mmCIF file of all heavy atoms in Angstrom:
data_model
loop_
_atom_site.group_PDB
_atom_site.id
_atom_site.type_symbol
_atom_site.label_atom_id
_atom_site.label_comp_id
_atom_site.label_asym_id
_atom_site.label_seq_id
_atom_site.Cartn_x
_atom_site.Cartn_y
_atom_site.Cartn_z
ATOM 1 N N TRP M 1 -29.436 -84.902 164.069
ATOM 2 C CA TRP M 1 -30.783 -85.284 164.507
ATOM 3 C C TRP M 1 -31.096 -86.727 164.129
ATOM 4 O O TRP M 1 -30.726 -87.192 163.055
ATOM 5 C CB TRP M 1 -31.834 -84.383 163.855
ATOM 6 C CG TRP M 1 -31.928 -83.023 164.452
ATOM 7 C CD1 TRP M 1 -31.242 -81.899 164.085
ATOM 8 C CD2 TRP M 1 -32.776 -82.631 165.541
ATOM 9 N NE1 TRP M 1 -31.602 -80.835 164.872
ATOM 10 C CE2 TRP M 1 -32.546 -81.249 165.764
ATOM 11 C CE3 TRP M 1 -33.713 -83.296 166.332
ATOM 12 C CZ2 TRP M 1 -33.211 -80.536 166.755
ATOM 13 C CZ3 TRP M 1 -34.377 -82.594 167.311
ATOM 14 C CH2 TRP M 1 -34.131 -81.231 167.527
ATOM 15 N N TYR M 2 -31.796 -87.452 165.022
ATOM 16 C CA TYR M 2 -32.312 -88.762 164.656
ATOM 17 C C TYR M 2 -33.722 -89.001 165.191
ATOM 18 O O TYR M 2 -34.370 -89.976 164.834
ATOM 19 C CB TYR M 2 -31.377 -89.886 165.118
ATOM 20 C CG TYR M 2 -31.242 -90.028 166.619
ATOM 21 C CD1 TYR M 2 -32.109 -90.839 167.354
ATOM 22 C CD2 TYR M 2 -30.216 -89.385 167.305
ATOM 23 C CE1 TYR M 2 -31.965 -90.984 168.728
ATOM 24 C CE2 TYR M 2 -30.068 -89.529 168.668
ATOM 25 C CZ TYR M 2 -30.947 -90.330 169.377
ATOM 26 O OH TYR M 2 -30.807 -90.458 170.742
ATOM 27 N N TYR M 3 -34.248 -88.071 166.019
ATOM 28 C CA TYR M 3 -35.602 -88.261 166.562
ATOM 29 C C TYR M 3 -36.154 -86.924 167.017
ATOM 30 O O TYR M 3 -35.439 -86.124 167.641
ATOM 31 C CB TYR M 3 -35.563 -89.231 167.747
ATOM 32 C CG TYR M 3 -36.915 -89.664 168.263
ATOM 33 C CD1 TYR M 3 -37.692 -90.585 167.557
ATOM 34 C CD2 TYR M 3 -37.426 -89.150 169.448
ATOM 35 C CE1 TYR M 3 -38.928 -90.986 168.030
ATOM 36 C CE2 TYR M 3 -38.673 -89.557 169.930
ATOM 37 C CZ TYR M 3 -39.414 -90.473 169.217
ATOM 38 O OH TYR M 3 -40.643 -90.867 169.682
ATOM 39 N N ASN M 4 -37.424 -86.661 166.695
ATOM 40 C CA ASN M 4 -38.068 -85.405 167.085
ATOM 41 C C ASN M 4 -39.528 -85.677 167.394
ATOM 42 O O ASN M 4 -40.324 -85.955 166.492
ATOM 43 C CB ASN M 4 -37.934 -84.377 165.958
ATOM 44 C CG ASN M 4 -38.629 -83.066 166.282
ATOM 45 O OD1 ASN M 4 -39.163 -82.870 167.372
ATOM 46 N ND2 ASN M 4 -38.635 -82.150 165.329
ATOM 47 N N LYS M 5 -39.870 -85.615 168.675
ATOM 48 C CA LYS M 5 -41.243 -85.893 169.094
ATOM 49 C C LYS M 5 -41.946 -84.610 169.542
ATOM 50 O O LYS M 5 -42.904 -84.647 170.301
ATOM 51 C CB LYS M 5 -41.235 -86.926 170.241
ATOM 52 C CG LYS M 5 -42.584 -87.571 170.525
ATOM 53 C CD LYS M 5 -43.157 -88.302 169.324
ATOM 54 C CE LYS M 5 -44.482 -88.971 169.693
ATOM 55 N NZ LYS M 5 -45.115 -89.589 168.515
ATOM 56 N N THR M 6 -41.486 -83.461 169.064
ATOM 57 C CA THR M 6 -42.146 -82.207 169.410
ATOM 58 C C THR M 6 -43.384 -82.030 168.532
ATOM 59 O O THR M 6 -43.443 -82.561 167.420
ATOM 60 C CB THR M 6 -41.217 -81.002 169.217
ATOM 61 O OG1 THR M 6 -40.802 -80.949 167.845
ATOM 62 C CG2 THR M 6 -39.994 -81.127 170.100
ATOM 63 N N PRO M 7 -44.383 -81.281 169.019
ATOM 64 C CA PRO M 7 -45.588 -81.080 168.207
ATOM 65 C C PRO M 7 -45.293 -80.229 166.973
ATOM 66 O O PRO M 7 -44.405 -79.368 166.998
ATOM 67 C CB PRO M 7 -46.537 -80.350 169.168
ATOM 68 C CG PRO M 7 -45.637 -79.679 170.158
ATOM 69 C CD PRO M 7 -44.456 -80.597 170.320
ATOM 70 N N VAL M 8 -46.035 -80.471 165.906
ATOM 71 C CA VAL M 8 -45.863 -79.675 164.693
ATOM 72 C C VAL M 8 -46.190 -78.216 164.989
ATOM 73 O O VAL M 8 -45.490 -77.303 164.568
ATOM 74 C CB VAL M 8 -46.767 -80.209 163.559
ATOM 75 C CG1 VAL M 8 -46.665 -79.307 162.328
ATOM 76 C CG2 VAL M 8 -46.372 -81.637 163.199
ATOM 77 N N GLU M 9 -47.270 -77.991 165.743
ATOM 78 C CA GLU M 9 -47.662 -76.655 166.161
ATOM 79 C C GLU M 9 -47.975 -76.671 167.654
ATOM 80 O O GLU M 9 -48.436 -77.681 168.191
ATOM 81 C CB GLU M 9 -48.888 -76.174 165.389
ATOM 82 C CG GLU M 9 -48.658 -75.984 163.897
ATOM 83 C CD GLU M 9 -49.904 -75.469 163.191
ATOM 84 O OE1 GLU M 9 -50.946 -75.317 163.864
ATOM 85 O OE2 GLU M 9 -49.832 -75.219 161.971
ATOM 86 N N LEU M 10 -47.734 -75.556 168.330
ATOM 87 C CA LEU M 10 -48.097 -75.419 169.729
ATOM 88 C C LEU M 10 -49.539 -74.933 169.818
ATOM 89 O O LEU M 10 -49.951 -74.032 169.083
ATOM 90 C CB LEU M 10 -47.166 -74.431 170.437
ATOM 91 C CG LEU M 10 -45.680 -74.806 170.469
ATOM 92 C CD1 LEU M 10 -44.875 -73.680 171.100
ATOM 93 C CD2 LEU M 10 -45.459 -76.104 171.228
ATOM 94 N N LYS M 11 -50.325 -75.531 170.716
ATOM 95 C CA LYS M 11 -51.734 -75.149 170.848
ATOM 96 C C LYS M 11 -51.880 -73.716 171.343
ATOM 97 O O LYS M 11 -52.768 -72.991 170.917
ATOM 98 C CB LYS M 11 -52.438 -76.107 171.823
ATOM 99 C CG LYS M 11 -52.552 -77.538 171.341
ATOM 100 C CD LYS M 11 -53.302 -78.404 172.329
ATOM 101 C CE LYS M 11 -52.554 -78.526 173.646
ATOM 102 N NZ LYS M 11 -53.256 -79.410 174.620
ATOM 103 N N ASN M 12 -51.006 -73.340 172.249
ATOM 104 C CA ASN M 12 -51.100 -72.024 172.869
ATOM 105 C C ASN M 12 -49.690 -71.475 173.042
ATOM 106 O O ASN M 12 -49.166 -71.420 174.152
ATOM 107 C CB ASN M 12 -51.820 -72.150 174.219
ATOM 108 C CG ASN M 12 -52.113 -70.813 174.859
ATOM 109 O OD1 ASN M 12 -51.888 -69.765 174.255
ATOM 110 N ND2 ASN M 12 -52.589 -70.850 176.086
ATOM 111 N N PRO M 13 -49.045 -71.064 171.954
ATOM 112 C CA PRO M 13 -47.609 -70.725 172.002
ATOM 113 C C PRO M 13 -47.235 -69.645 173.004
ATOM 114 O O PRO M 13 -46.165 -69.715 173.609
ATOM 115 C CB PRO M 13 -47.296 -70.288 170.565
ATOM 116 C CG PRO M 13 -48.600 -70.021 169.918
ATOM 117 C CD PRO M 13 -49.600 -70.898 170.599
ATOM 118 N N LYS M 14 -48.074 -68.649 173.209
ATOM 119 C CA LYS M 14 -47.736 -67.555 174.118
ATOM 120 C C LYS M 14 -47.859 -67.963 175.583
ATOM 121 O O LYS M 14 -47.336 -67.290 176.470
ATOM 122 C CB LYS M 14 -48.633 -66.336 173.843
ATOM 123 C CG LYS M 14 -48.507 -65.785 172.427
ATOM 124 C CD LYS M 14 -47.064 -65.427 172.081
ATOM 125 C CE LYS M 14 -46.956 -64.863 170.668
ATOM 126 N NZ LYS M 14 -45.555 -64.594 170.284
ATOM 127 N N ASN M 15 -48.537 -69.075 175.847
ATOM 128 C CA ASN M 15 -48.679 -69.558 177.222
ATOM 129 C C ASN M 15 -48.117 -70.975 177.345
ATOM 130 O O ASN M 15 -48.646 -71.806 178.070
ATOM 131 C CB ASN M 15 -50.144 -69.519 177.663
ATOM 132 C CG ASN M 15 -50.300 -69.548 179.185
ATOM 133 O OD1 ASN M 15 -49.386 -69.198 179.932
ATOM 134 N ND2 ASN M 15 -51.456 -69.978 179.649
ATOM 135 N N THR M 16 -47.036 -71.228 176.587
ATOM 136 C CA THR M 16 -46.348 -72.511 176.638
ATOM 137 C C THR M 16 -45.020 -72.351 177.376
ATOM 138 O O THR M 16 -44.278 -71.392 177.130
ATOM 139 C CB THR M 16 -46.087 -73.050 175.214
ATOM 140 O OG1 THR M 16 -47.335 -73.312 174.578
ATOM 141 C CG2 THR M 16 -45.263 -74.329 175.244
ATOM 142 N N TYR M 17 -44.736 -73.276 178.262
ATOM 143 C CA TYR M 17 -43.496 -73.254 179.055
ATOM 144 C C TYR M 17 -42.741 -74.548 178.770
ATOM 145 O O TYR M 17 -43.279 -75.642 178.945
ATOM 146 C CB TYR M 17 -43.809 -73.123 180.550
ATOM 147 C CG TYR M 17 -44.380 -71.774 180.900
ATOM 148 C CD1 TYR M 17 -45.709 -71.471 180.617
ATOM 149 C CD2 TYR M 17 -43.597 -70.780 181.473
ATOM 150 C CE1 TYR M 17 -46.244 -70.216 180.902
ATOM 151 C CE2 TYR M 17 -44.122 -69.520 181.765
ATOM 152 C CZ TYR M 17 -45.438 -69.253 181.474
ATOM 153 O OH TYR M 17 -45.959 -68.011 181.752
ATOM 154 N N VAL M 18 -41.501 -74.413 178.315
ATOM 155 C CA VAL M 18 -40.699 -75.566 177.920
ATOM 156 C C VAL M 18 -39.468 -75.680 178.814
ATOM 157 O O VAL M 18 -38.790 -74.678 179.099
ATOM 158 C CB VAL M 18 -40.260 -75.458 176.443
ATOM 159 C CG1 VAL M 18 -39.306 -76.591 176.073
ATOM 160 C CG2 VAL M 18 -41.479 -75.473 175.525
ATOM 161 N N TYR M 19 -39.179 -76.915 179.237
ATOM 162 C CA TYR M 19 -37.999 -77.191 180.068
ATOM 163 C C TYR M 19 -37.153 -78.240 179.337
ATOM 164 O O TYR M 19 -37.524 -79.414 179.276
ATOM 165 C CB TYR M 19 -38.434 -77.677 181.451
ATOM 166 C CG TYR M 19 -39.261 -76.631 182.156
ATOM 167 C CD1 TYR M 19 -40.649 -76.588 181.976
ATOM 168 C CD2 TYR M 19 -38.671 -75.642 182.931
ATOM 169 C CE1 TYR M 19 -41.414 -75.590 182.574
ATOM 170 C CE2 TYR M 19 -39.427 -74.641 183.533
ATOM 171 C CZ TYR M 19 -40.794 -74.629 183.342
ATOM 172 O OH TYR M 19 -41.550 -73.629 183.919
ATOM 173 N N VAL M 20 -36.055 -77.784 178.754
ATOM 174 C CA VAL M 20 -35.153 -78.668 178.023
ATOM 175 C C VAL M 20 -34.159 -79.268 179.011
ATOM 176 O O VAL M 20 -33.510 -78.538 179.772
ATOM 177 C CB VAL M 20 -34.406 -77.914 176.912
ATOM 178 C CG1 VAL M 20 -33.442 -78.845 176.179
ATOM 179 C CG2 VAL M 20 -35.395 -77.297 175.922
ATOM 180 N N LEU M 21 -34.038 -80.585 178.995
ATOM 181 C CA LEU M 21 -33.197 -81.286 179.961
ATOM 182 C C LEU M 21 -32.011 -81.933 179.248
ATOM 183 O O LEU M 21 -32.185 -82.799 178.388
ATOM 184 C CB LEU M 21 -34.014 -82.368 180.680
ATOM 185 C CG LEU M 21 -35.404 -81.972 181.205
ATOM 186 C CD1 LEU M 21 -36.076 -83.173 181.858
ATOM 187 C CD2 LEU M 21 -35.307 -80.805 182.170
ATOM 188 N N ASP M 22 -30.819 -81.499 179.590
ATOM 189 C CA ASP M 22 -29.603 -82.078 179.033
ATOM 190 C C ASP M 22 -28.488 -81.890 180.059
ATOM 191 O O ASP M 22 -28.115 -80.751 180.349
ATOM 192 C CB ASP M 22 -29.234 -81.380 177.718
ATOM 193 C CG ASP M 22 -28.128 -82.107 176.967
ATOM 194 O OD1 ASP M 22 -27.693 -83.174 177.428
ATOM 195 O OD2 ASP M 22 -27.704 -81.596 175.913
ATOM 196 N N PRO M 23 -27.971 -82.979 180.638
ATOM 197 C CA PRO M 23 -27.000 -82.837 181.729
ATOM 198 C C PRO M 23 -25.787 -81.980 181.423
ATOM 199 O O PRO M 23 -25.250 -81.325 182.308
ATOM 200 C CB PRO M 23 -26.597 -84.285 182.023
ATOM 201 C CG PRO M 23 -27.802 -85.081 181.651
ATOM 202 C CD PRO M 23 -28.355 -84.390 180.436
ATOM 203 N N MET M 24 -25.321 -81.956 180.163
ATOM 204 C CA MET M 24 -24.087 -81.250 179.850
ATOM 205 C C MET M 24 -24.326 -80.159 178.805
ATOM 206 O O MET M 24 -24.806 -80.434 177.703
ATOM 207 C CB MET M 24 -23.039 -82.234 179.315
ATOM 208 C CG MET M 24 -22.848 -83.472 180.188
ATOM 209 S SD MET M 24 -22.215 -83.110 181.829
ATOM 210 C CE MET M 24 -20.486 -82.883 181.461
ATOM 211 N N LEU M 25 -23.977 -78.930 179.153
ATOM 212 C CA LEU M 25 -23.985 -77.823 178.193
ATOM 213 C C LEU M 25 -22.521 -77.552 177.850
ATOM 214 O O LEU M 25 -21.829 -76.828 178.552
ATOM 215 C CB LEU M 25 -24.647 -76.584 178.794
ATOM 216 C CG LEU M 25 -24.581 -75.282 178.000
ATOM 217 C CD1 LEU M 25 -25.065 -75.476 176.575
ATOM 218 C CD2 LEU M 25 -25.364 -74.185 178.699
ATOM 219 N N ALA M 26 -22.046 -78.174 176.774
ATOM 220 C CA ALA M 26 -20.623 -78.105 176.410
ATOM 221 C C ALA M 26 -20.395 -77.077 175.299
ATOM 222 O O ALA M 26 -20.198 -75.905 175.562
ATOM 223 C CB ALA M 26 -20.129 -79.489 176.006
ATOM 224 N N THR M 27 -20.452 -77.512 174.041
ATOM 225 C CA THR M 27 -20.258 -76.570 172.938
ATOM 226 C C THR M 27 -21.455 -75.648 172.761
ATOM 227 O O THR M 27 -21.323 -74.539 172.247
ATOM 228 C CB THR M 27 -20.029 -77.318 171.615
ATOM 229 O OG1 THR M 27 -21.206 -78.073 171.292
ATOM 230 C CG2 THR M 27 -18.833 -78.254 171.716
ATOM 231 N N GLY M 28 -22.628 -76.127 173.162
ATOM 232 C CA GLY M 28 -23.849 -75.343 172.988
ATOM 233 C C GLY M 28 -24.520 -75.560 171.641
ATOM 234 O O GLY M 28 -25.595 -75.015 171.385
ATOM 235 N N ASN M 29 -23.931 -76.379 170.767
ATOM 236 C CA ASN M 29 -24.486 -76.579 169.431
ATOM 237 C C ASN M 29 -25.861 -77.265 169.466
ATOM 238 O O ASN M 29 -26.805 -76.807 168.821
ATOM 239 C CB ASN M 29 -23.515 -77.401 168.572
ATOM 240 C CG ASN M 29 -22.236 -76.646 168.275
ATOM 241 O OD1 ASN M 29 -22.217 -75.418 168.233
ATOM 242 N ND2 ASN M 29 -21.137 -77.366 168.076
ATOM 243 N N SER M 30 -25.961 -78.368 170.206
ATOM 244 C CA SER M 30 -27.250 -79.058 170.281
ATOM 245 C C SER M 30 -28.279 -78.220 171.040
ATOM 246 O O SER M 30 -29.481 -78.271 170.746
ATOM 247 C CB SER M 30 -27.083 -80.432 170.952
ATOM 248 O OG SER M 30 -26.598 -80.302 172.272
ATOM 249 N N SER M 31 -27.807 -77.426 171.992
ATOM 250 C CA SER M 31 -28.707 -76.551 172.758
ATOM 251 C C SER M 31 -29.367 -75.530 171.843
ATOM 252 O O SER M 31 -30.582 -75.313 171.903
ATOM 253 C CB SER M 31 -27.932 -75.834 173.864
ATOM 254 O OG SER M 31 -27.188 -76.740 174.634
ATOM 255 N N VAL M 32 -28.572 -74.884 171.003
ATOM 256 C CA VAL M 32 -29.103 -73.872 170.080
ATOM 257 C C VAL M 32 -30.089 -74.510 169.106
ATOM 258 O O VAL M 32 -31.148 -73.943 168.811
ATOM 259 C CB VAL M 32 -27.947 -73.182 169.324
ATOM 260 C CG1 VAL M 32 -28.477 -72.328 168.173
ATOM 261 C CG2 VAL M 32 -27.142 -72.324 170.294
#
């Protein structure tokens, strides 16, 4: 890790939709 701009807490966690964008899913380590 070198940067994390995610919120400390989600305002509405049960109604939050997240789309993670990463062109390559290789080992899956960073994805997890």
Side-chain angles (χ1 to χ4, degrees):
W1 284 90
Y2 65 89
Y3 189 75
N4 178 4
K5 195 59 178 175
T6 59
V8 176
E9 295 181 357
L10 299 175
K11 294 182 296 182
N12 187 6
K14 300 304 181 184
N15 199 22
T16 296
Y17 291 77
V18 174
Y19 299 88
V20 179
L21 314 179
D22 191 3
M24 310 296 281
L25 172 52
T27 63
N29 293 332
S30 61
S31 309
V32 169

